[in-house]
Amino acid sequence: DASAPERDTPTLGGRGLETGPAGEAYSCYVEATRLEVSHHDDRGSLKLMERACSLDPDAPIYRFMAGVLCMKFKDLRRALQHFDRGLRMEKVPFRRGQLLLWASRAAMLVGESERALQLRRELSELRHPRLQYHKEAVKKPYRQRHLRQITVSFALADAH
């Protein structure tokens, strides 16, 4: 399709390096990665990921990273909003599993136990060889004290 934007350079989640807001959002992700690696600046990284989400609101990977960082700062409702938005768009089983794991944790911590159970059930039904860790992790209780132990990996677009 000649009218489609050129996507010859793949990025996270299959997104291309586009111009305009999506390209700016990717630049925010790159800068957040640099801040995290060079300075361990979670607050600065969160600010950049929130900006990425505002520029490219339907990018699940930005929603995931922003959500995990929000959890690290105990902003659980905001984290859940990011995870919910990411889940609306994410179709790749592994990435969807990441979102489901963290969304279930956030839901449980804000007292939405039925919702957390629903999210865990969906995760258990996903089929992907690298989701075994997530399926085991979701069975373990997740408490407020675990929030300060969250480790974010921008290089892998993951957290634990």
Side-chain angles (χ1 to χ4, degrees), residues 129-155:
R130 286 186 290 278
L131 281 177
Q132 197 54 44
Y133 164 81
H134 299 77
K135 290 179 178 187
E136 291 301 317
V138 81
K139 295 176 188 175
K140 298 174 185 170
Y142 200 80
R143 310 247 190 278
Q144 287 275 341
R145 63 184 159 83
H146 293 118
L147 296 173
R148 66 178 169 266
Q149 299 166 356
I150 292 173
T151 302
V152 178
S153 171
F154 279 86

Side-chain angles (χ1 to χ4, degrees), residues 25-50 52 62 65 69 152-155:
Y26 182 73
S27 293
C28 289
Y29 185 90
V30 171
E31 181 63 14
T33 303
R34 188 191 66 72
L35 273 181
E36 193 59 37
V37 170
S38 300
H39 304 290
H40 306 289
D41 183 356
D42 291 329
R43 285 220 185 268
S45 294
L46 174 56
K47 185 176 179 181
L48 285 161
M49 291 316 305
E50 292 279 8
Y62 303 152
M65 298 304 287
L69 285 165
V152 178
S153 171
F154 279 86

Side-chain angles (χ1 to χ4, degrees), residues 63-123:
R63 294 293 178 170
F64 172 75
M65 298 304 287
V68 171
L69 285 165
C70 283
M71 283 186 72
K72 195 167 185 170
F73 291 108
K74 300 179 182 171
D75 190 352
L76 301 173
R77 295 243 177 243
R78 180 74 178 139
L80 205 46
Q81 290 172 348
H82 281 300
F83 297 141
D84 286 343
R85 184 75 180 255
L87 284 166
R88 281 191 287 234
M89 302 305 294
E90 187 60 76
K91 304 297 181 232
V92 175
F94 179 76
R95 294 293 180 196
R96 188 165 184 81
Q98 286 178 302
L99 283 159
L100 289 165
L101 170 62
W102 288 91
S104 71
R105 289 173 168 175
M108 185 58 76
L109 289 173
V110 298
E112 296 182 19
S113 56
E114 277 302 310
R115 182 146 178 250
L117 181 60
Q118 175 189 10
L119 293 162
R120 287 195 303 270
R121 279 190 192 130
E122 184 181 343
L123 174 56

